[in-house]
Every structure is written in C-alpha cells, then in structure tokens.
C-alpha cells in the first residue's frame, strides 16, 4: 500500500532501525535504573516484600518487555534492509513482507533477548548462598539481578555507534562502490582515530569504572548483615562464626563488615585498572576478584588504545608536512647569509694568516662549503616541490592524466586526415562522392574533439593541488593585496583619518605578534609571583602561624596586586588578539581594517571571562574561612588559604601559552606559510612540533616532573586538616570524628603530614603505576588528585611511546643510506658466497672431502642466496634511494614531461590560434 512505501527506501529503513535501537536503549536503561533502586533499598535494610520494591520490580518488568519489543523491531528492520541491499546491488526481487519466522531464526536475536529479559519479577525474592575459602556469605536476589541488568549498557553503546555512522553522508552508496561493509567495526575505528579519541577513551574508562565498581560493591556485600538487630536471617548459617569472621589464608582473621560506599568501590576498581594497587582496598570474595581482573584487563586495553590514538594524532598530515618543508626553506634562506659570511671570514683569516676565533677553529672549510651548497640548493626549491609524499603522488597522477589527454588530442590531430580519407572512401563505396573541400572540412571536424579543445586549459592548471598555490597565483595574490592596501590608504587620506599615523604598529602584523608574546610573558610572570605569595602564606599557616599575622596579610596584599596586574594583562592580550585577527582578515580577505578595538568587541569573548574568573579567584587581605566536609565516616576541615592557593596554582596554564608562542615565533614567515599551505600554525601545531623528534623525550620528562610537583602540592593540601592547626576555630573540629578517623574499618589517630617529599613520593609511585601502599590517600580530595595523577602518568607513558615510535623511524636520507650500506654489504658477501660455491664445486668434481665448515652448506640454498645477494649488489645509486626520494624524482620527471607536452601542444595549435587572432 501507499503507507508501506518506506519499506522500499534504504534510508528510511535505516533511520527506523536507529530509532528502534534508541527505543530499546531508553527502556532497557529505565529498567536498569529500577533494578538499581530496588537493590539500594534492600541494602538500606528495606524488606524485599515492601510495596516500593515490588512497584520497582513491576516497572522493571514492563520496561523489559518494551526493550525486547524494540529489539524485535530492530531485527525485523534488519531483515528488510538486507533485502533492499540485495535488490539494489544484485538485482534480486524485493519482497517487503517479513515473516516472524525469519526474525526468530536469528541466533543473535535470541542472545540479546536472553541478556535483556533476565530480571526479577514482582513478589519474587530469594537469597543465593556461597562458601569460599571457609568464608560464608549470601547475596539477595535483588543484588544479583541488578548486576545482571547492568549488561544492558551495550544498548547505549549501540546507539552511539548508530549516531557515528549516521554522520557519514551516503555511506551505503560508498560502501557498495568500495565493496566494503561500513558497520560497527568501521564506527569503532572512526571513533578511536584522531585527537578526539582521547575524550572517547576517557568516557569509556569512566563508564567501565562505574559499572565494574558496582559489580565489585555488590560482590563484597553479604546479605547476612542486611538485617536490623533482633531480626533472624533467612539463612540460619548467617549466625555461624565463618559468616562474620573471615580469613583469606586461614591464618589472619578479620571481622567482615559491609562497605556501602560506592566511592570506595569505584576507587578500588580505578587503582586496579591503572595498575597502582595501593593495597588499602582488596577484594575478599571470588566474584570481587573476578571484577578486579576485568578492571585490570580493561585498563590495559584502554591504555593501549590511548597510546595508539596519541601516536596517530602526533603524526604530521600531508598539508602540515608541506608547511614544515616550506618553513625549513625559509629558515635556510635566513641562514644562507650567515653561513656565507662565516665561510668568507674563515677564508680571509686563513689567507691573511690571522688568528682564528674559538668558533672558527672548530670549523672546517670543506664542511662549511658543503653545508652552504646544501642550504643554497634547498632554499632555491619551488613551493610545489616542497609537498608531502601523498601530495606529490596526487600531482603525479594528475600530470599523468593530463599527459594522456594531451597525447590523445595530438594523436587525433595527427591522424585526422587519415580518418577523413577513410570516411570519404566508405562514403564513395555507398555511392556518395566527396570533393577535396569536403574532405578538408571533415578532417577539421575530426580534429576538433573534446580533448583538443580542452587540453590547453588542462595543462595550464597542471600541478596545482588544493593545498598548494603556484608562483603565478602567489604573484596575483600579492598584486591584489597591494591594490587593496592602496585603496584603503587613499580612502583614509580622503576621509582625513590622520590618527592612524600615530599608531603604525596597529597595522604591522609582526609587531602585533611580538606584543602578544610579550603580554603573555608578563601575565605569566605576574600570576606566578602572586601564586608564590599564596604558597608562602599557606606554608606559614601550616607552621601554626595565626591567620591575622602581619606577614600573612602582606602576602595576601601582594597576591591581590599581582592578581590585578594579571587581569589587566589578560585583557590586553585579548585586545591585541582581536586587533591581530582584524589585520589577518584585512590581509587575507581584503576586508576593511578597523584599528579601533572597542571594549564591547573584547568583552564579548566568553573565553576572556573564563580566564578572568580563573585568575581572579584568590584570598584578599583580612579574609579567611574554613570549609568542613564529610569524608566517609569522619570530618575533614580545610583552611581557606590552602584552598585558594590550590586554585591559584591553576594559573600554570599561562606557562603553556608562553611556550607555544615562543615555539611559533621561531617559525619564519609562519603567517604567509599558513596562508600558502592552508594549515593552521597554532598551538596544536606547536604540540606536534614539540613531540616529534628526539627532543620530545626531554619535553615529556619535564612535563612529567612539573605535573608531579603540581599534583603533590594538591595532594598535601587534601590530606592536611585544619582541626590540627593552631589557627583553627571551626566548631566541627570539636567532634571526635575530626581527630579519630576510620579508614577501611581500621581506626587511627589523624596527624598532619606537611612534608612535601612525602607528597611527591605518593604522586610519583601513583603516576608510574607502582603504588607500594606505604602512603595512601585518605580523603576524597586526595583520592581525586591521585586519580588525576594516575591518568596523567598513563597519558605521559603513551606520549613517550608515541614519540619514540615516531623518532626511531628512518628519514628519507637515512633510509637511502641504509640501502647503500646494504648494497655494499651484499657486494662483500657476494665474494664469500661465490668462493664457497666454487670450492664446493671443485671439491665435488675432484672427489675430495669437504672441510667441516662446508659440510653444513646446502649447494641449492647457497645458489639461491647467491642470486638474491647478486640482485642487491647490482642496484644502481638511484635504486638505493628511499621511497620519498624516488617519489621526488618521479615528480620532477613528470613535471618536465608535462612542460615538454605543453610545448608540443602549443606548436600543434599555433596555426589555429594565429588564424583566430587575425
């Protein structure tokens, strides 16, 4: 019928499949929430027969049925989609009626139904008992089925994969053309490719921590302790001693207590997945050990994925590699004069017999001359020759195509007269005679083909790629820019805007770039000085100085002054950045340049307000406070000076802006190169430049050291409680739980460890994944800092692996040298192999006994080795070049071929052009 037209549309069926997957994911997740809620009520000692729990069970059953209906709908549409694809690709008949039997025959359908259908219906509740290593425990059915229902998370992952595939335009057509299945595997590769993969890996890691942490917590809870006092457990074995007193080795015994805190379970799975393992929380049941094993394996897999994603992100793209080559050419042009001057000075002093300087004594004239020649040859290369290998291959393919078109056109032009005579002869056989004029006109028509008419225009566009401009285009761009600047100058003179001459730096891009760097440097210095004053006041408070001490007040005042200076410099930075972007737009697009930057245009930037808020937070003079927090079963109080000092340390991000500005300032004419190659030479480019090459090892070590110090300071602040300081006046410090803490059922007297070395040691063993357990975090804040330090350590190790992988790759010149070394070694080995073959042949012919060294030699294998070695030894010098050098040679040859073909085409059509001109 007309309402079933969507069953014949591939796109509409695909969209309905995505909606069906979303439908099942939503209802499956709602059922999971109900299962988790009923389990939490049971954990809080609510009877399993309570009305609230049965309502949640009934709602879970309803959501389960709806989720199964969505799964059935998905497989129904999948069968229909398969038929449509067979109809479009292979011409099969299309039947839109899908029988239920076809869906039920799919094994994957029943597997998904089994995963999603298992739940606890209303008015059903049992306990599951188990005994492991002489320890007895029971689990409520609500807990068991809640753990099983968490497997429905895969429905959400499938929706994410559907969303990723839906972002690909015409993916089914492309899949058919490329003979490739673009499914969930393709979506997986696309998600974990590029820098965005780091975000996705972090989300997956967090989701796995929550899910596995929930399993871990459920495995550690025993139902024998989920009863109020005076209530008899359902299983009488809960009253036995091995249900209360446990032992892991039958020697050391401890009292089993249910840990209801979800954060402890997440913390346990986190330190397991990052391979830290302090030992403060350990699994005590078989199922919790299985959860720890799953968490450890998941952490290893995600760390490997992170390493692969970072390695791929740090590799240069073809356009970025072209930009690097152009930048190197500009560096060579700047260095050419210095090298020539040094060579002339060395020659002059040697010729005159004068004393050489220390620098000149370490130089060799021949090495300097060779270096000068190499630098001059590189500086004289054309822009189109400074492309990446992939761009050069595209140029070669385009040139070959143009050469073929030109050859076809010239062949048609050469053989046009012969074709015309053949046509005239055939017409004569049919009784139609053609005179000489008709034959000439026919020859002209044959020659005027599509190739002949378009070949000149195609050759003129030869060698141009989307990422690179020819010299002719560059000259045209410069002329247009010059004309625009002249028109703007004339317009301003006409309008009488003489004020622009008072600030010429506002039109100079290089001066603006230098001023932006200087402003960032000053902002970083003032912020660091203010942070230093904040650290001093915090250290004085930790040494039991009173908060109203004059020294502390002076530090607060100086910090406030530095903060104000930092805010002013930040505003100055955004003001200069706005003016710089206008100058860039004026030079690149020819837009009108307005040098007057108002406050409204600067303050409209949301990033400015974020930075102002981040840098403005500090503790002014005469202000102080204490912040109490409930930490598990005890209280921790933080001083305001310590909290604000930790916030002030976040200003360290300004150091990266200065470093990135310095790296980019070392690139000569980077704005022109960026426009030429269409590559954004910004902060991400600076990161890639830092993390490529052997120097990246030093940068990563410095980064690791800085983050260790940074997190160690935060860790120490998170572990110090104000209740043990002389300046504390908070009433919560009078509580017993403010000084007597209980961690993992172990009571201890809280003491402040203000040693920075201890904090550095904890962060170091955490970031390296060691985790001895001699020092462990005891507060939520210190655990959070330790978690970030562990993740930073994994990222640092991944960056180190990726940088080493890129650094140990052979360059084009090194690969060519390695091939030459292999050729020379093959020539040496060829003599030895030839001598062995001749000796074996001679001894066999003479009937002599071969020596012991030649008995193990097989003549046939020796002959095969001789042939392979001879092929390597006979390689020419050009054949020993690397792949990049061969591509460069092919690109140069095709360029010369195209120029020759262009000259031939000009010669072929010279007469027609002369006639058209006349």
């Amino acid at each position: 019928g007309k309402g079933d037209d969507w069953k014949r549309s591939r796109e509409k069926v695909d969209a309905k499949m995505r909606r069906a997957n979303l439908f099942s994911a939503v209802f499956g997740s709602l059922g999971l929430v109900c299962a988790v809620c009923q389990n939490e009520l049971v954990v809080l000692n609510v009877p399993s027969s309570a009305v609230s729990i049965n309502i949640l069970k009934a709602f879970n059953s309803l959501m389960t049925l709806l989720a199964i209906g969505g799964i059935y709908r998905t497989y129904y549409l999948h069968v229909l989609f398969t038929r449509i694809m067979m109809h479009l690709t292979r011409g099969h008949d299309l039947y839109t009626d899908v029988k239920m039997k076809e869906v039920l025959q799919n094994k994957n359908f029943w597997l998904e139904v089994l995963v999603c259908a298992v739940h606890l219906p209303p008015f059903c509740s049992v306990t599951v008992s188990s005994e492991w290593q002489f320890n007895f425990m029971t689990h409520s059915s609500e807990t068991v089925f809640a753990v099983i229902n968490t497997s429905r998370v895969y429905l959400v992952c499938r929706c994410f994969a559907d969303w990723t595939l839906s972002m690909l335009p015409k993916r089914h057509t492309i899949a058919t053309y490329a003979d490739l299945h673009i499914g969930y595997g393709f979506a997986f590769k696309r998600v974990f490719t590029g820098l965005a993969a780091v975000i996705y890996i972090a989300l997956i890691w967090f989701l796995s921590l929550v899910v596995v942490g929930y399993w871990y917590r459920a495995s550690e809870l025993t139902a024998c302790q989920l009863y109020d006092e005076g209530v008899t457990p359902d299983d009488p074995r809960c009253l036995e001693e091995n249900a209360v007193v446990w032992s892991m080795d039958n020697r050391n015994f401890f009292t089993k207590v249910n840990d209801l805190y979800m954060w402890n379970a997440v913390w346990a799975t986190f330190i397991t997945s990052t391979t830290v393992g302090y030992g403060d929380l350990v699994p005590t049941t078989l199922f919790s050990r299985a959860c720890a094993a799953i968490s450890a394996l998941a952490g290893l897999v995600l760390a490997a994925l992170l390493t692969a994603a970072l390695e791929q992100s740090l590799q240069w793209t073809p356009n970025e590699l072209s930009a690097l080559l152009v930048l190197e050419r500009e560096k060579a042009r700047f260095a050419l004069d210095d090298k020539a001057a040094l060579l002339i000075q060395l020659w002059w002093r040697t010729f005159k017999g004068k004393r050489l300087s220390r620098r000149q004594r370490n130089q060799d004239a021949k090495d300097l001359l060779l270096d000068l020649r190499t630098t001059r040859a590189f500086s004289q290369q054309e822009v189109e020759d400074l492309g990446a290998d992939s761009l050069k291959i595209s140029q070669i393919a385009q040139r070959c195509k143009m050469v073929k078109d030109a050859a076809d056109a010239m062949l048609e032009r050469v053989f046009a007269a012969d074709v015309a005579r053949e046509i005239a002869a055939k017409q004569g056989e049919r009784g139609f005679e053609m005179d000489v004029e008709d034959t000439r006109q026919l020859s002209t028509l044959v020659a005027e083909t599509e190739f002949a008419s378009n070949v000149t225009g195609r050759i003129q566009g030869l060698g141009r790629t989307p990422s690179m401009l020819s010299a002719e285009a560059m000259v045209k761009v410069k002329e247009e820019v010059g004309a625009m600047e002249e028109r703007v100058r004339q317009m301003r003179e006409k309008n009488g805007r003489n004020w622009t001459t008072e600030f010429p730096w506002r039109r100079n891009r290089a001066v603006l770039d230098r001023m932006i760097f200087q402003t960032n440097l000053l902002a970083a210095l003032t912020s660091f000085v203010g942070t230093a004053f904040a650290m001093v006041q915090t250290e004085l408070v930790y040494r039991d100085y009173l908060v109203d001490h004059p020294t502390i007040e002076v530090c607060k005042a100086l910090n406030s002054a530095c903060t104000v200076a930092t805010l002013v410099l930040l505003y100055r930075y955004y003001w200069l950045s706005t003016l710089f972007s206008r100058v860039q737009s004026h030079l690149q697009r020819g837009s009108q340049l307005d040098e007057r930057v108002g406050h409204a245009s600067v303050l409209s930037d949301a990033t400015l307000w974020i930075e102002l808020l981040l840098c403005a937070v500090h503790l002014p003079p005469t202000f102080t406070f204490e912040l109490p927090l409930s930490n598990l079963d005890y209280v921790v109080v933080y001083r305001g000076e310590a909290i604000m000092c930790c916030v002030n340390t976040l200003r360290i991000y300004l150091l990266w802006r200065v470093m990135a500005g310095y790296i980019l300032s070392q690139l000569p004419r980077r704005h022109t190169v960026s426009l030429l190659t269409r590559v954004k030479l910004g902060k991400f480019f600076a990161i890639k430049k830092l993390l490529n090459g052997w120097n990246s090892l030093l940068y990563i070590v410095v980064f690791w050291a800085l983050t260790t110090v940074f997190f160690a300071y935060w860790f120490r602040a998170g572990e110090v409680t104000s209740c043990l300081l002389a300046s504390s006046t908070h009433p919560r410090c009078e509580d017993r739980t403010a000084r007597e803490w209980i961690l993992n059922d172990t009571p201890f007297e809280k003491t402040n460890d203000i040693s920075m070395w201890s904090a550095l040691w904890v962060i170091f063993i955490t970031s390296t994944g060691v985790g001895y357990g001699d020092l462990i975090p005891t507060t939520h804040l210190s655990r959070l800092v330790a978690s970030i330090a562990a993740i930073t350590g994994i990222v640092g190790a991944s960056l180190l692996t990726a940088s080493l992988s890129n650094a140990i790759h052979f360059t084009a010149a090194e690969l060519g040298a390695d091939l030459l070394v292999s050729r020379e070694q093959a020539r040496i080995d060829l003599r030895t192999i030839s001598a062995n073959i001749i000796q074996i042949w001679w001894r066999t012919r003479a009937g002599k006994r071969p020596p012991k060294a030649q008995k193990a030699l097989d003549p046939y294998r020796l002959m095969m080795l001789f042939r392979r070695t001879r092929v390597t030894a006979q390689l020419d010098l050009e054949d020993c070049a690397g792949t990049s050098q061969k591509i460069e040679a092919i690109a140069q040859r095709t360029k010369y071929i195209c120029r020759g073909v262009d000259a031939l085409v000009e010669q072929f059509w010279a007469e027609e052009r002369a006639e058209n001109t006349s």
Side-chain angles (χ1 to χ4, degrees):
K2 187 175 181 180
D4 294 338
D5 291 342
W6 62 270
K7 293 184 177 181
R8 297 180 176 274
S9 175
R10 181 174 56 185
E11 287 72 18
K12 292 181 179 179
V13 173
D14 192 17
K16 288 183 177 292
M17 286 177 60
R18 292 197 300 270
R19 286 196 291 269
N21 287 333
L22 181 61
F23 180 89
S24 58
V26 169
F27 289 109
S29 301
L30 289 176
L32 171 60
V33 171
C34 294
V36 171
C37 290
Q38 70 191 29
N39 177 49
E40 294 303 316
L41 291 177
V42 171
V43 169
L44 295 176
N45 294 337
V46 177
S48 57
S49 59
V51 177
S52 56
I53 293 181
N54 284 319
I55 291 176
L56 290 172
K57 291 179 180 179
F59 195 75
N60 186 13
S61 300
L62 178 60
M63 295 298 104
T64 301
L65 293 176
L66 292 175
I68 293 174
I71 294 173
Y72 177 84
R73 178 69 172 173
T74 298
Y75 279 89
Y76 171 89
L77 294 171
H78 179 71
V79 174
L80 182 59
F81 183 81
T82 304
R83 291 183 182 180
I84 295 175
M85 291 298 296
M86 296 295 291
H87 170 69
L88 294 176
T89 57
R90 302 181 183 178
H92 291 185
D93 294 334
L94 178 58
Y95 298 100
T96 58
D97 294 333
V98 180
K99 305 297 183 183
M100 183 182 294
K101 181 180 178 180
E102 299 180 58
V103 179
L104 299 180
Q105 287 177 347
N106 195 324
K107 296 180 181 179
N108 293 332
F109 167 74
W110 288 108
L111 179 61
E112 289 198 42
V113 169
L114 179 63
V115 171
C116 295
V118 177
H119 71 288
L120 192 64
F123 308 108
C124 294
S125 180
V126 293
T127 56
V128 181
S129 303
S130 62
E131 188 172 351
W132 182 64
Q133 291 187 349
F134 309 102
N135 303 321
F136 177 78
M137 69 180 306
T138 61
H139 293 289
S140 64
S141 55
E142 288 78 9
T143 302
V144 174
F145 282 97
V147 170
I148 295 175
N149 289 159
T150 54
S151 59
R152 299 178 183 179
V153 175
Y154 85 93
L155 296 172
V156 179
C157 299
R158 185 163 63 184
C159 289
F160 179 75
D162 288 339
W163 174 78
T164 304
L165 294 175
S166 66
M167 304 303 292
L168 306 177
K170 298 183 179 180
R171 63 183 178 93
H172 301 301
T173 305
I174 295 173
T176 304
Y177 172 77
D179 194 16
L180 177 69
H181 177 64
I182 301 180
Y184 292 149
F186 186 87
F188 178 84
K189 290 184 179 181
R190 187 173 176 84
V191 166
F192 291 104
T193 301
L195 194 62
V198 178
I199 300 176
Y200 296 131
I201 291 173
L203 292 176
I204 293 175
W205 209 323
F206 176 76
L207 182 62
S208 64
L209 286 178
V210 174
V211 173
V212 181
Y214 189 80
W215 295 353
Y216 180 92
R217 173 174 172 263
S219 302
E220 287 288 327
L221 293 177
T222 172
C224 292
Q225 299 181 10
L226 299 180
Y227 297 95
D228 295 330
E229 291 189 31
V231 179
T232 304
D234 295 337
D235 196 324
R237 289 179 292 178
C238 289
L239 301 177
E240 297 179 0
E241 184 179 5
N242 63 346
V244 179
V245 180
W246 284 20
S247 174
M248 304 303 297
D249 52 7
N250 208 18
R251 291 192 302 270
N252 300 315
F253 296 90
F254 62 95
T255 302
K256 173 61 179 175
V257 179
N258 282 339
D259 189 355
L260 305 182
Y261 290 102
M262 182 64 186
W263 292 114
N264 282 344
V266 173
W267 172 250
T269 54
F270 177 80
I271 61 177
T272 303
S273 64
T274 54
T275 67
V276 176
Y278 290 114
D280 52 343
L281 292 173
V282 294
T284 59
T285 66
L286 179 62
F287 299 109
S288 58
R289 288 186 175 181
C291 294
I294 294 173
S295 179
L297 294 176
L300 293 176
V301 172
L302 291 172
L305 281 175
L306 181 63
T307 303
L310 288 175
E311 180 180 1
Q312 191 177 36
S313 300
L314 292 179
Q315 293 180 355
W316 297 110
T317 63
N319 289 339
E320 289 174 341
L321 191 57
S322 301
L324 275 177
L325 293 174
V326 176
L327 290 170
E328 291 297 329
R329 188 195 70 169
E330 296 302 320
K331 283 185 178 180
R333 289 183 175 181
F334 282 108
L336 193 62
D337 296 338
D338 295 337
K339 293 181 180 180
L342 183 62
L343 182 62
I344 294 173
Q345 290 176 4
L346 181 62
W347 172 81
W348 176 257
R349 288 181 177 272
T350 305
F351 180 75
K352 292 293 185 179
K354 294 184 178 182
R355 183 180 179 182
L356 300 178
S357 63
R358 181 179 299 178
R359 179 186 178 188
Q360 292 173 345
R361 285 196 297 268
N362 297 328
Q363 300 288 343
D364 183 51
K366 293 184 178 180
D367 293 339
L368 281 176
L369 183 60
L370 180 62
D371 188 20
L372 180 64
R373 290 175 179 175
T374 304
T375 305
R376 183 178 61 182
F378 184 74
S379 64
Q380 292 175 351
Q381 288 189 357
E382 299 179 2
V383 175
E384 63 177 356
D385 297 332
L386 296 174
D389 291 344
S390 58
L391 295 179
K392 291 179 181 178
I393 292 173
S394 299
Q395 289 180 352
I396 293 170
Q398 188 178 10
R399 288 169 181 169
C400 292
K401 181 179 178 182
M402 300 310 167
V403 170
K404 177 184 177 300
D405 293 345
D408 290 341
M410 289 186 290
L411 286 174
E412 290 182 359
R413 179 60 184 266
V414 170
F415 296 102
D418 296 338
V419 174
R421 283 194 295 270
E422 291 180 2
I423 295 176
K426 291 181 179 181
Q427 294 294 334
E429 293 176 357
R430 298 177 181 177
F432 299 97
E433 296 295 336
M434 300 181 65
D435 56 9
V436 178
E437 181 63 24
D438 294 337
T439 305
R440 189 186 67 80
Q441 293 181 359
L442 182 61
S443 175
T444 304
L445 292 175
V446 171
E448 292 178 355
T449 60
E450 180 183 357
F451 292 118
S453 60
N454 297 332
V455 65
T456 305
R458 290 186 179 183
I459 290 180
Q460 288 179 353
L462 190 64
R464 298 180 184 178
T465 60
S467 61
M468 307 185 70
L469 300 175
S470 63
E472 179 184 354
M474 285 300 301
V475 173
K476 186 176 180 181
V477 169
K478 290 181 180 179
E479 292 177 354
E480 292 178 355
V481 171
M484 290 178 184
E485 290 181 349
E486 181 64 23
R487 288 198 299 269
V488 171
R489 187 184 63 80
Q490 294 176 359
M491 181 182 64
R492 287 182 173 172
E493 290 179 356
K494 182 178 179 181
N495 297 334
R497 297 182 180 178
N498 298 324
W499 58 270
T500 56
T501 58
E502 300 177 4
F503 306 101
W505 56 268
R506 293 187 177 183
R507 300 173 54 84
N508 193 324
R509 184 170 57 184
V511 174
L512 284 175
D513 213 357
R514 186 167 60 252
M515 292 179 67
I516 289 175
F517 174 74
Q518 293 173 355
T519 303
N520 285 330
L521 181 60
L522 290 176
L525 288 176
T526 54
S527 65
F528 292 162
V529 171
T531 304
F533 286 122
M535 289 182 176
V536 170
Q537 71 190 26
T538 303
E539 295 302 320
L540 293 177
V541 170
Y542 284 168
R543 267 67 179 180
D544 290 334
Y545 278 68
L546 297 179
V547 292
D548 56 353
H549 193 275
T551 306
I552 295 179
E553 294 296 331
V554 170
C555 289
K556 291 180 180 180
L558 293 175
N559 186 15
S560 298
C562 293
T563 301
V564 172
T566 302
L567 298 180
V568 173
L569 290 170
L570 282 177
Y571 180 85
R572 174 72 173 174
Y573 163 73
Y574 276 90
W575 188 89
L576 291 172
S577 299
T578 304
L579 180 59
F580 183 83
S581 62
R582 292 183 181 181
V583 174
Q584 281 282 80
S585 178
H586 169 69
L587 295 177
Q588 296 178 3
R589 303 180 182 87
S591 59
Q592 183 177 356
L593 176 59
D594 186 7
E595 301 171 0
R596 295 172 296 181
V597 180
H599 297 293
S601 58
V602 179
L603 296 177
S604 61
D605 193 343
T607 311
L608 169 64
W609 292 103
I610 295 175
E611 289 201 46
L612 291 178
L613 179 63
L614 181 61
C615 295
V617 176
H618 71 289
L619 199 63
T622 69
F623 282 90
T624 186
F625 65 92
E626 290 180 286
L627 180 64
L629 294 176
S630 296
N631 195 80
L632 299 179
D633 291 327
Y634 45 88
V635 177
V636 59
V637 181
Y638 294 110
R639 283 237 51 105
E641 287 77 7
I643 296 175
M644 290 302 173
C645 182
C646 290
V647 175
N648 289 159
T649 56
L650 295 176
R651 300 174 183 176
I652 196 174
Y653 82 93
L654 295 172
L655 179 63
W656 160 243
R657 183 177 286 169
V658 174
M659 189 174 181
Y662 174 76
I663 295 171
L664 295 176
S665 66
Q666 301 302 308
L667 306 179
R669 299 180 182 178
R670 64 183 177 95
H671 300 297
T672 305
V673 174
S674 177
L675 176 62
L676 181 65
T677 58
R678 298 182 183 179
V679 175
K680 185 178 180 181
L681 302 181
K683 293 181 175 59
F684 185 64
F685 187 86
I687 293 176
K688 281 191 172 184
K689 192 167 179 62
L690 275 179
L691 298 179
N692 275 278
W694 290 105
N695 290 333
S696 61
L697 304 181
L698 175 62
Y699 298 138
I700 292 174
V701 170
V702 172
F703 167 76
W704 210 326
L706 286 176
T707 54
T708 300
V709 175
F710 178 81
F711 292 129
Y713 193 84
W714 276 63
F715 181 86
R716 187 187 66 159
E719 285 290 321
V720 174
T721 176
S722 177
C723 294
L724 301 179
L725 299 176
S727 58
S728 177
T729 58
H730 201 277
R732 292 292 299 274
C733 293
E734 302 297 330
D735 297 344
R736 182 179 57 85
T737 56
R739 299 176 183 273
E740 297 179 4
W741 289 13
I742 300 177
L743 185 64
N744 305 327
D745 303 328
T746 303
F748 63 97
E749 189 75 20
K750 173 60 180 176
T751 57
N752 283 338
D753 185 2
I754 61 174
S755 173
M756 191 64 183
W757 293 109
S758 299
L760 285 171
W761 174 248
V762 174
I763 296 300
F764 177 76
I765 63 177
T766 301
S767 62
T768 54
V770 179
Y772 289 110
D774 51 346
L775 295 172
I776 59 174
T778 59
T779 65
H780 288 319
L781 180 58
S782 58
R783 283 185 176 182
L784 177 62
V785 174
S787 302
I788 300 175
I791 295 174
T792 305
I794 294 173
V795 172
S798 300
L799 285 174
L800 185 63
T801 305
S803 299
L804 284 175
S805 177
N806 292 332
I808 62 177
H809 285 168
F810 277 127
T811 62
E814 291 172 343
L815 187 59
D818 184 65
L819 290 174
L820 284 174
V821 170
S822 300
R823 185 190 71 170
E824 298 303 319
Q825 184 64 40
R827 291 180 177 180
I828 297 174
D829 295 341
L830 195 63
R831 300 172 185 175
T832 305
I833 297 171
S834 302
N836 288 330
I837 292 175
I838 293 173
Q839 289 177 9
I840 292 175
W841 172 82
W842 182 79
R843 289 182 179 274
T844 303
R845 183 179 179 85
K848 293 185 177 182
R849 185 178 180 182
K852 186 176 181 181
Q854 292 181 349
K855 286 183 179 180
L857 298 177
D858 185 5
Y860 176 76
R861 293 184 178 179
L862 202 60
M863 197 65 188
M864 293 297 102
L865 180 61
F866 173 79
R867 293 175 180 176
R868 292 195 300 268
T869 308
R870 184 176 60 182
V871 171
T872 306
Q874 292 177 349
L875 290 174
D876 294 333
L877 189 62
E878 292 184 355
D879 298 332
C880 292
T883 305
S884 299
Q885 294 176 340
K886 292 179 181 178
I887 293 174
E888 174 65 24
I890 295 173
Q892 293 293 334
R893 290 169 183 171
T894 53
K895 183 170 68 174
Y896 295 143
I897 290 172
C898 289
R899 290 177 179 176
V901 172
D902 191 11
L904 290 175
V905 170
E906 291 287 341
Q907 186 66 28
F908 263 85
W909 276 270
E911 297 179 0
E912 282 80 354
R913 291 183 177 179
E915 293 177 0
N916 294 333
T917 304
S918 61

